[in-house]
Amino acid sequence: MASTLRCGPCSRMDKLATAVKFCTDCEDYLCTDCVHTHTVITALASHHLIQEDIQTDEALNIKRMCSDHPDMVLEFHCSKHDRLICRTCSVNRHRRCGKMLPINVAARGIKRSVMLNDVTANLKDLLKIAEQLKEDRAKNMENIRESKATTLQKIAKFKREVIQELDELEKKLMIEVDVTEKRLTRKAESDLSDIEIRRKALVEMLEHLDILTTHGSEIQILMLLNTIRMDISKQENDFYDVIPSYRCTEIYFKDSTIKSYLKSLGSAELKYYPCSIVYRPHKHAEAQIPSKYDKIPLKQKNKKIDVPYRNGYIFNIVVMNDNRLLLCFSGVKSKALSLWSETGDYIQDCALAESAWGIVWIQGTNEAIVTLPSIRSVQFVNIANMTSGKVMTVPDSCYGVTVIKNEIVLGTGIFSYKSPDFEGPVDLALDGEENLYVITRQSNKLHCLSSDWKLHDILLKAENGLRKPYAVAFNYNYNKLYIANGHYDEDKQVMIFDCA
């Protein structure tokens, strides 16, 4: 038999009273008298009470402390940045944001809000995709097994058409098929395991949200939504990036065509088909888009990535959502575009029609556009498999490139600014507050300009490691700054600065 829950306030006064309610704001069990006290005291009247026997496990234990200031409680909602903040945040970073609401005011009506409906629908959509991917990966494993059986039959048939002396070659090929099948099965099992982990995480988030929607207070729901939206955004980005990498695989047999010169029975090769599941990120309401924070680079490097490319410059950097780097190199065509991990590991080169200068990633796709000024052209690139595509001639040599409303915009100049320290500007980046960060290769400096072209500060100089810099870029959420460095005839490096 379950033990009787005791009233918290009464127990602390050495009284015994049976709890009948639980206050989610006080996080305390209450007896009948204490419940009455809660309803008549003004400061406590708005507290959320539920039955004491509701089994919610950890669902109601929502984080209330500020992530930036762990000793401070979240008290306000900043409408400009659409995030919960503490009192210190409101003074330090959000003083000029304008409308800030107490958390209890911002949470009013949250159970009927577009935000709750949007997050719930988003979770359900992601869960549906996870279920579909689980089924798809299971079918892929079955297809691998079936294609193995079909391939082995073809191998056996081909074997009968050749002389008995080929038995040894047949054994080698059979081993190759088995090894291939095992390797593919391990990959398929890994895919299935990864999707199952994601699915379970989504189920847990949705169940957590359902419990709070039914039993939790509006404040708790708002806090949970604030907590899980970043997790949802990460899941969306992960799904968007991982789905194109999934390929439906089968093993097939490619026989040798010239039997008189036969040196092997053939080879076990693979056929790839795109994953049948299509995922499109959920469209959030405008007010719920994660904010871009007004951060500036620190004066100390977080790390650097060594890029062993010489006789050229890294003219441009694109930082993808998973912090992988696309580097445009002005040297040999075979290394014109290269892909690097966030830990500094080389992944792959992509040869282009000529050395590259500028690049833009078309958000929401696997396609990028690179400028080739020496041949007055731009070239399309599939960044999922790093293969070059169509080359398009343009009227003049173009260096910069961007995409605005599905149109490609090319240019050689953007703005005008003069300063004695402003020598050799070559690249710029924007932060979330529309400040410009301009790199100058001759004076080895990083200038921060306001949106009205006034100098805020010179953030980095030669003593911070700048040495003939050519490219600058922020990552997706503006918490890291990347600068490409290095003289023409020496190895290059990408310096990474944490942002404050």
Side-chain angles (χ1 to χ4, degrees):
M1 179 180 295
S3 60
T4 302
L5 294 171
R6 299 297 182 183
C7 174
C10 291
S11 297
R12 289 189 288 276
M13 293 187 295
D14 297 325
K15 297 180 181 179
L16 292 179
T18 301
V20 296
K21 296 283 186 179
F22 179 79
C23 177
T24 60
D25 294 279
C26 298
E27 297 184 353
D28 216 350
Y29 290 98
L30 305 174
C31 65
T32 303
D33 291 339
C34 291
V35 168
H36 177 70
T37 301
H38 257 59
T39 60
V40 298
I41 296 178
T42 302
L44 305 178
S46 63
H47 284 201
H48 185 70
L49 305 180
I50 62 174
Q51 293 296 329
E52 98 289 348
D53 58 348
I54 293 177
Q55 299 297 318
T56 57
D57 297 323
E58 299 298 321
L60 297 176
N61 294 329
I62 304 301
K63 178 184 176 183
R64 296 172 178 266
M65 308 309 290
C66 178
S67 58
D68 293 332
H69 309 98
D71 57 336
M72 299 294 291
V73 177
L74 296 171
E75 297 184 60
F76 303 101
H77 177 265
C78 174
S79 300
K80 178 179 179 180
H81 292 101
D82 191 18
R83 65 179 302 197
L84 299 179
I85 60 176
C86 69
R87 194 173 297 274
T88 302
C89 290
S90 69
V91 174
N92 292 347
R93 290 189 177 179
H94 299 267
R95 190 183 335 179
R96 300 180 181 177
C97 290
K99 189 175 182 180
M100 281 189 290
L101 297 175
I103 195 170
N104 62 319
V105 175
R108 288 175 186 168
I110 194 72
K111 290 187 178 182
R112 301 180 301 278
S113 69
V114 174
M115 183 190 294
L116 175 60
N117 293 336
D118 190 52
V119 170
T120 302
N122 202 352
L123 278 172
K124 289 180 178 179
D125 287 346
L126 287 170
L127 182 58
K128 181 179 178 181
I129 288 292
E131 297 284 2
Q132 290 175 346
L133 287 172
K134 179 181 178 182
E135 182 179 353
D136 180 81
R137 293 298 90 192
K139 288 180 179 179
N140 184 46
M141 290 182 63
E142 180 63 26
N143 188 49
I144 291 171
R145 288 191 288 268
E146 291 177 356
S147 63
K148 175 191 174 183
T150 301
T151 300
L152 294 180
Q153 291 174 4
K154 290 182 178 180
I155 292 172
K157 178 181 178 181
F158 187 69
K159 171 192 171 185
R160 291 192 295 269
E161 297 174 355
V162 299
I163 60 176
Q164 291 298 318
E165 286 77 10
L166 296 177
D167 285 345
E168 186 61 32
L169 292 176
E170 180 203 9
K171 292 179 182 178
K172 291 181 180 180
L173 187 55
M174 297 287 277
I175 292 172
E176 181 184 350
V177 170
D178 281 335
V179 169
T180 301
E181 185 267 343
K182 290 176 182 178
R183 175 171 56 82
L184 292 175
T185 299
R186 286 195 299 270
K187 178 63 170 62
E189 289 172 344
S190 175
D191 290 346
L192 189 59
S193 174
D194 179 68
I195 292 303
E196 177 61 13
I197 291 171
R198 296 181 189 276
R199 187 192 71 83
K200 288 181 178 179
L202 291 168
V203 168
E204 290 175 1
M205 282 191 281
L206 186 58
E207 288 176 349
H208 195 170
L209 183 61
D210 285 341
I211 290 173
L212 273 188
T213 302
T214 304
H215 305 294
S217 70
E218 293 181 338
I219 291 176
Q220 290 174 313
I221 294 173
L222 179 60
M223 287 183 172
L224 177 61
L225 294 179
N226 180 70
T227 300
I228 68 175
R229 278 187 299 163
M230 294 306 294
D231 294 334
I232 291 172
S233 177
K234 183 180 185 303
Q235 289 280 12
E236 284 185 318
N237 291 334
D238 289 348
F239 275 135
Y240 184 80
D241 289 336
V242 78
I243 289 176
S245 70
Y246 284 152
R247 296 179 293 187
C248 297
T249 312
E250 66 177 31
I251 308 170
Y252 76 99
F253 175 63
K254 182 178 180 181
D255 61 64
S256 177
T257 56
I258 307 177
K259 295 182 180 178
S260 59
Y261 298 99
L262 189 64
K263 295 182 179 180
S264 70
L265 282 178
S267 60
E269 299 191 5
L270 307 178
K271 285 183 179 180
Y272 296 104
Y273 304 95
C275 180
S276 61
I277 308 301
V278 177
Y279 175 68
R280 293 180 177 85
H282 194 77
K283 293 183 179 179
H284 294 276
E286 184 70 20
Q288 297 171 42
I289 296 175
S291 58
K292 316 300 184 190
Y293 307 122
D294 47 340
K295 300 181 177 182
I296 61 174
L298 294 176
K299 300 291 177 83
Q300 184 172 355
K301 293 193 297 293
N302 170 283
K303 64 176 296 185
K304 70 174 182 177
I305 297 174
D306 292 318
V307 182
Y309 294 171
R310 296 191 174 191
N311 299 323
Y313 294 103
I314 297 174
F315 277 146
N316 220 308
I317 302 173
V318 164
V319 186
M320 303 173 70
N321 288 347
D322 57 1
N323 285 341
R324 287 184 299 166
L325 303 181
L326 285 169
L327 306 181
C328 280
F329 182 57
S330 67
V332 294
K333 294 186 291 184
S334 62
K335 301 180 184 295
L337 187 64
S338 59
L339 183 63
W340 299 74
S341 73
E342 63 176 325
T343 57
D345 297 320
Y346 163 80
I347 298 176
Q348 191 175 353
D349 283 323
C350 178
L352 300 179
E354 191 49 76
S355 58
W357 187 290
I359 182 172
V360 61
W361 171 35
I362 304 176
Q363 294 284 337
T365 73
N366 288 323
E367 197 167 40
I369 302 171
V370 180
T371 60
L372 313 174
S374 62
I375 58 173
R376 296 187 175 185
S377 301
V378 297
Q379 187 166 11
F380 292 83
V381 177
N382 185 323
I383 58 176
N385 53 23
M386 292 294 284
T387 55
S388 56
K390 178 182 178 181
V391 176
M392 186 170 66
T393 303
V394 294
D396 201 353
S397 296
C398 56
Y399 297 88
V401 59
T402 189
V403 173
I404 301 176
K405 294 182 179 179
N406 296 323
E407 294 187 356
I408 303 172
V409 180
L410 304 172
T412 57
I414 300 176
F415 68 95
S416 176
Y417 172 79
K418 293 182 179 180
S419 169
D421 294 315
F422 206 68
E423 301 178 46
V426 285
D427 197 17
L428 62 81
L430 285 168
D431 67 10
E433 298 296 318
E434 297 186 356
N435 297 310
L436 285 83
Y437 296 78
V438 186
I439 205 79
T440 54
R441 66 180 179 87
Q442 293 180 13
S443 56
N444 296 314
K445 293 178 181 179
L446 176 67
H447 300 250
C448 178
L449 308 178
S450 65
S451 57
D452 57 355
W453 317 110
K454 295 180 180 178
L455 179 66
H456 278 325
D457 194 6
I458 296 178
L459 300 172
L460 299 172
K461 301 179 181 179
E463 52 262 37
N464 303 117
L466 269 60
R467 190 178 73 260
K468 292 296 180 184
Y470 250 100
V472 59
F474 282 102
N475 65 348
Y476 174 73
N477 55 8
Y478 301 97
N479 63 10
K480 291 185 185 300
L481 181 80
Y482 300 75
I483 296 178
N485 236 0
H487 289 272
Y488 178 86
D489 57 354
E490 66 181 20
D491 288 348
K492 307 300 178 290
Q493 62 178 211
V494 176
M495 298 189 298
I496 305 174
F497 293 85
D498 283 332
C499 297

